[in-house]
Amino acid sequence: MTRIAVLLTDRCHPKECQGECRTYCPPVRMGQECIVWGPDTKPIISEDLCIGCGICVHKCPFTAIKILNTPEAAEGEMVHRYGQNAFRLFRLPVTGGPGTVGLLGSNGIGKTTALRILAGVETPNLGDYEHPADLTKVLEYYRGTEMHAYFRKLSRHELRTVVKPQYVDGLAAIDQSIEDYVAEGGGNAARALERTGLYSARAKRLSEVSGGELQLTAIARTLSADADVYFFDEPSSYLDVINRLTVARLIRELGEDRPVVIVEHDLAILDYLADRVHLLYGEASAFGVVSHPMATRTAINTYLAGYLREENVRFRTEPVTFTSHPPKPPSARIPLVTFAPLVKEYPGFRTEVTGGTFHKGETVGVVGPNSTGKTTFVKMLAGVEPPTKGGPSPTVRVSYKPQYLKAQGDWSLQDRVMALSGGKDFDLSFFETDLVGSLSLRPILGTPLNKLSGGELQRVAIALSLAMDATLYLLDEPSAYLDTDERMNAARVIRRAAERRGAATLVVDHDVYFLDLLADSLMVFHAATHGTGKGGRGEGPYIMREGMNRLLKAVEVTFRRDEETLRPRVNKAGSALDREQKSKGEYYYDPAG
Ligand code: ADP
Ligand code: ADP
Ligand code: SF4
């Protein structure tokens, strides 16, 4: 094992501390230069002199230092290191031949770094960050392995690569239409627009379209590009379940005769489109190790179990377990909140929702295509938007997490908790004993919200809404920006909160695994036209199987359950199971249903 010292530079604020890391470091006190101040006045930690006591880690008021050991399994396999006390990546995914290779791991573990290296955007330095990186050394390193030919072609500029970047929000600043932007990428743009469902929207300016359309635009451009290797970094963000399944099918087809590499946090989608998967483990922002490739089913089951035997690595303390969803007996369903049919109209848009009942302790998933009125419905229940017709909204105490999170002001979660904890509606004990741990909030408790990443802000918002004592919880897209692990933890804690309070919880989301872990029942929204305007119609709640059936029938996709883990798996279109389930109307097969 090798000791590494990592400084999270964005968390280190040398002007706002007393230099505690250096003051208390035992080797420094003995006169050794274990920690010195760098030109930016931030600490530089010597890994040779460090004795691994961990004192600096605990003394730093901003938790900006990590002192860790890298696993023996990865020894001698460092591919890239950004700097002295910076992130390092061990090993790379294997690609080059036809097939879709998936990368699965938490945020900050090196997936994008691996992707950038394979795409030829970043040259790996093999750990030697002091000298310019050089592909001839890389060729030497990979001699005799599958990746040698790949890097040889890359070094000779014989590989054309194209990357669908992780963040698509920036496209909105480009002054172009969807069609022009996709065409600029080369290849058959019209076909890509058609297949991604963008053709009728092709004339829209990028500045005017929704996040989902920006994502589809970036995917269409990548799909149509004339390249040798294709990379997709998180293609499912902002997309609804139906778009996700369509895009998954397109990427899967692309990978039938070409190399494709994909980073994806939605397990149903990754499971469907990847031929093999590398798990990435390590410590976020410090180091990441790419596992050897595995068949997709094995990789995802291993990931859920949380233990990688080949490398003796545990990357979760508890396994994630799925259960089938038999309907609850009527005696277990105690009605809690009833709402009357609701209608909301905006110019050119109308959504209507049939009335329904939520039960004590019930978690209700809300699914359907984008722009059908799911957020509008939740806002009506929250009392944020008045219905045009129907209602009134239920008069119970509501805790609402909106879809779009705003980090206004420079207050931190800790400040907020201090302000709320005097009130009788704030459950401080649940916050401290459960939410802080389950949502990994400790390192960011004191960070101003406007300095948090999207995933951190999401976890804070989930925690604040679950810590309020309410009868009805409304969580709009809690899985957005979260990695797979965070999604699984969030699902668990949302259920625990509902059970603790005997409350009802509504969760609008697009991640099938997240919903399957969470939901007892489903409300389903469909697109509907109203005169010349667009809109939607929401129905339910239905029992899980019935709700998924209604959603999936519209897209002709079937799911089965994995025999070993009971997790849902998309059936290959036209396979024997797919045909059998369709003929029985079992789009979301559940052995206990
Ligand atoms: P992931 O895609 O798994 O979220 P990334 O590959 O984006 O992870 O990042 C892994 C780590 O590398 C992060 O801590 C990030 O801050 C760090 N990192 C990324 N790019 C650089 C860079 N150019 N210089 C220093 N550190 C970087
Ligand atoms: P979903 O959650 O299903 O994606 P939304 O409830 O967010 O759908 O919104 C559906 C549509 O309602 C939007 O595409 C927009 O046309 C319309 N809409 C929502 N809010 C407003 C508003 N405040 N003013 C005008 N139109 C709105
Ligand atoms: Fe010094 Fe290393 Fe101890 Fe930190 S962990 S205080 S750098 S010896």
Side-chain angles (χ1 to χ4, degrees):
M1 281 192 285
T2 307
R3 177 169 311 126
I4 63 168
V6 178
L7 179 73
L8 309 180
T9 46
D10 51 342
R11 282 207 203 146
C12 175
H13 308 290
K15 286 197 190 119
E16 295 169 43
C17 76
Q18 309 296 320
E20 289 88 342
C21 53
R22 189 168 191 276
T23 310
Y24 291 99
C25 172
V28 172
R29 295 170 78 121
M30 300 288 288
Q32 292 181 309
E33 300 219 310
C34 182
I35 300 186
V36 296
W37 301 126
D40 54 0
T41 71
K42 293 185 181 183
I44 299 174
I45 307 169
S46 159
E47 288 168 0
D48 293 333
L49 297 174
C50 170
I51 55 169
C53 66
I55 290 177
C56 57
V57 176
H58 300 292
K59 289 287 178 189
C60 173
F62 303 109
T63 54
I65 298 174
K66 292 191 180 195
I67 306 283
L68 301 157
N69 292 318
T70 56
E72 245 164 84
E75 202 79 350
E77 295 185 84
M78 196 188 298
V79 168
H80 195 63
R81 177 170 175 176
Y82 283 114
Q84 176 160 357
N85 295 133
F87 180 83
R88 332 156 192 203
L89 181 69
F90 295 84
R91 303 197 204 121
L92 280 178
V94 179
T95 182
T100 303
V101 176
L103 308 187
L104 173 58
S106 9
N107 283 335
I109 209 81
K111 300 179 300 298
T112 300
T113 303
L115 206 134
R116 283 165 55 84
I117 290 174
L118 293 175
V121 180
E122 185 96 50
T123 303
N125 59 23
L126 304 173
D128 182 6
Y129 58 90
E130 284 170 313
H131 298 99
D134 180 355
L135 266 182
T136 52
K137 285 189 194 154
V138 176
L139 282 173
E140 192 126 322
Y141 178 76
Y142 279 106
R143 190 172 301 281
T145 72
E146 257 177 289
M147 288 308 285
H148 185 261
Y150 188 91
F151 280 109
R152 195 181 55 223
K153 282 194 204 153
L154 208 55
S155 69
R156 292 179 183 167
H157 306 285
E158 289 169 7
L159 272 188
R160 291 164 305 161
T161 62
V162 60
V163 182
K164 197 297 288 172
Q166 181 179 5
Y167 300 107
V168 294
D169 311 43
L171 299 189
I174 300 174
D175 185 23
Q176 260 182 335
S177 66
I178 292 181
E179 185 172 29
D180 290 346
Y181 179 75
V182 174
E184 203 181 66
N188 191 340
R191 185 170 145 83
L193 287 169
E194 184 124 20
R195 301 186 84 203
T196 47
L198 279 174
Y199 198 76
S200 58
R202 67 192 184 283
K204 284 194 195 169
R205 311 297 298 173
L206 290 174
S207 56
E208 290 163 4
V209 306
S210 66
E213 284 168 319
L214 284 181
Q215 183 68 271
L216 288 174
T217 302
I219 292 169
R221 179 170 159 137
T222 312
L223 283 171
S224 85
D226 209 0
D228 300 305
V229 195
Y230 293 78
F231 297 90
F232 294 87
D233 200 346
E234 296 190 30
S236 79
S237 322
Y238 299 117
L239 299 186
D240 62 43
V241 180
I242 294 166
N243 294 148
R244 286 180 193 200
L245 289 164
T246 309
V247 163
R249 200 178 281 169
L250 297 178
I251 296 179
R252 191 189 154 101
E253 278 172 30
L254 182 76
E256 279 171 9
D257 55 4
R258 272 169 272 204
V260 175
V261 182
I262 171 164
V263 172
E264 181 52 60
H265 294 301
D266 181 324
L267 287 182
I269 297 305
L270 184 73
D271 184 46
Y272 179 49
L273 57 69
D275 295 306
R276 25 182 215 287
V277 167
H278 293 267
L279 301 179
L280 280 90
Y281 62 87
E283 174 77 23
S285 306
F287 75 94
V289 184
V290 180
S291 80
H292 295 292
M294 284 176 256
T296 302
R297 175 171 180 263
T298 315
I300 294 183
N301 287 358
T302 303
Y303 179 78
L304 294 171
Y307 179 62
L308 180 59
R309 194 180 304 119
E310 292 78 1
E311 309 196 17
N312 189 23
V313 176
R314 184 165 293 287
F315 40 99
R316 191 172 322 102
T317 46
E318 284 173 74
V320 176
T321 44
F322 286 80
T323 51
S324 59
H325 283 259
K328 280 193 178 166
S331 59
R333 288 165 61 83
I334 304 166
L336 184 70
V337 180
T338 297
F339 63 98
L342 296 166
V343 175
K344 181 78 190 179
E345 287 174 346
Y346 291 115
F349 179 84
R350 172 188 164 99
T351 191
E352 46 186 58
V353 189
T354 53
T357 299
F358 307 133
H359 300 84
K360 220 170 153 38
E362 181 178 29
T363 308
V364 184
V366 182
V367 290
N370 281 334
S371 293
T372 51
K374 299 180 300 298
T375 291
T376 305
F377 167 58
V378 168
K379 283 184 178 167
M380 288 193 281
L381 290 182
V384 174
E385 280 287 343
T388 312
K389 274 190 227 152
S393 305
T395 51
V396 293
R397 202 179 315 146
V398 168
S399 180
Y400 169 51
K401 184 202 83 67
Q403 178 181 14
Y404 295 107
L405 311 166
K406 281 193 219 108
Q408 283 164 335
D410 58 1
W411 50 271
S412 67
L413 178 56
Q414 207 156 23
D415 300 336
R416 189 79 184 146
V417 169
M418 292 265 275
L420 289 168
S421 55
K424 66 175 173 29
D425 293 345
F426 189 77
D427 188 344
L428 184 64
S429 131
F430 186 56
F431 179 81
E432 283 179 340
T433 57
D434 201 327
L435 294 169
V436 168
S438 315
L439 296 169
S440 311
L441 299 172
R442 198 164 308 286
I444 52 170
L445 275 173
T447 314
L449 294 204
N450 56 19
K451 297 253 165 61
L452 297 180
S453 69
E456 290 168 338
L457 195 58
Q458 185 70 275
R459 278 162 20 224
V460 165
I462 295 172
L464 284 174
S465 56
L466 295 183
M468 299 310 291
D469 198 1
T471 306
L472 181 61
Y473 291 85
L474 303 168
L475 305 174
D476 199 346
E477 282 212 56
S479 84
Y481 303 109
L482 298 187
D483 64 34
T484 313
D485 229 28
E486 293 167 337
R487 289 178 195 194
M488 304 295 141
N489 291 336
R492 229 187 284 226
V493 77
I494 292 169
R495 274 202 79 94
R496 272 206 298 273
E499 279 158 18
R500 178 181 172 97
R501 311 223 171 85
T505 309
L506 239 72
V507 180
V508 181
D509 214 275
H510 300 297
D511 182 315
V512 170
Y513 277 41
F514 184 64
L515 287 167
D516 195 79
L517 284 169
L518 258 180
D520 301 302
S521 53
L522 275 192
M523 290 197 63
V524 184
F525 278 67
H526 289 291
T529 45
H530 299 281
T532 53
K534 290 187 302 180
R537 183 178 162 79
E539 294 167 338
Y542 302 107
I543 58 165
M544 187 74 184
R545 182 171 128 237
E546 164 87 13
M548 285 304 282
N549 252 341
R550 284 173 179 261
L551 178 79
L552 295 173
K553 216 173 193 156
V555 276
E556 288 288 304
V557 171
T558 59
F559 279 79
R560 66 186 181 284
R561 279 193 187 268
D562 182 58
E563 284 168 16
E564 194 183 319
T565 60
L566 287 181
R567 67 185 169 88
R569 303 193 71 194
V570 180
N571 289 322
K572 205 171 161 206
S575 65
L577 259 182
D578 182 55
R579 281 180 284 130
E580 186 190 326
Q581 285 183 225
K582 279 178 184 160
S583 74
K584 290 185 183 158
E586 291 271 13
Y587 285 78
Y588 199 69
Y589 174 71
D590 192 338

